[in-house]
Amino acid sequence: WTPVTNYINQQFEQYFRDESGLNRKNIQDNRVHCCLYFISPFGQGLRPVDVEFMKALQDKVNVVPLIAKADCLTPSEIKKLKEQVPVYLRNWVCEGKTRGY
């Protein structure tokens, strides 16, 4: 996740430098505002690497967890995964910062 966080920081720094300059008419906003994080549909919810990645990004951008390849799962498997993921997020990732679950 280091390359991702470095890229996000780089884009924010570039935008700040452009905003601080004299000519602000043609500024391109290339900042990252949201990260769509695809969770593997196979396995038991979030893996430790998922947790660490979301922890690293949670203070920089909005992280939206999505279940990847959800069309390959049965309705009961989707329901089970949808119930597990918010529990993981509340306990490990956001430490009280989760919204909308």
Side-chain angles (χ1 to χ4, degrees):
W1 58 82
T2 304
V4 176
T5 56
N6 288 343
Y7 177 77
I8 292 169
N9 289 335
Q10 214 173 40
Q11 295 305 312
F12 275 103
E13 289 170 11
Q14 180 63 43
Y15 185 78
F16 179 73
R17 280 193 301 272
D18 291 345
E19 275 284 315
S20 300
L22 296 175
N23 186 5
R24 290 185 260 170
K25 289 183 181 179
N26 298 324
I27 295 176
Q28 281 189 323
D29 187 1
N30 292 326
R31 294 176 293 174
V32 178
H33 298 282
C34 181
C35 174
L36 301 178
Y37 191 81
F38 289 91
I39 298 168
S40 173
F42 311 109
Q44 303 295 323
L46 294 174
R47 298 170 298 172
V49 70
D50 296 327
V51 172
E52 291 302 317
F53 189 88
M54 286 191 226
K55 277 184 183 180
L57 289 183
Q58 73 178 357
D59 292 327
K60 299 177 187 311
V61 296
N62 295 315
V63 180
V64 178
L66 301 169
I67 300 171
K69 300 182 182 178
D71 57 337
C72 297
L73 301 174
T74 65
S76 62
E77 290 172 329
I78 292 172
K79 182 179 178 187
K80 181 180 175 186
L81 195 54
K82 282 184 177 182
E83 290 171 354
Q84 286 179 345
V85 169
V87 172
Y88 283 112
L89 292 176
R90 280 192 205 103
N91 292 337
W92 292 334
V93 177
C94 298
E95 299 167 358
K97 296 181 183 178
T98 57
R99 294 182 299 271
Y101 296 111

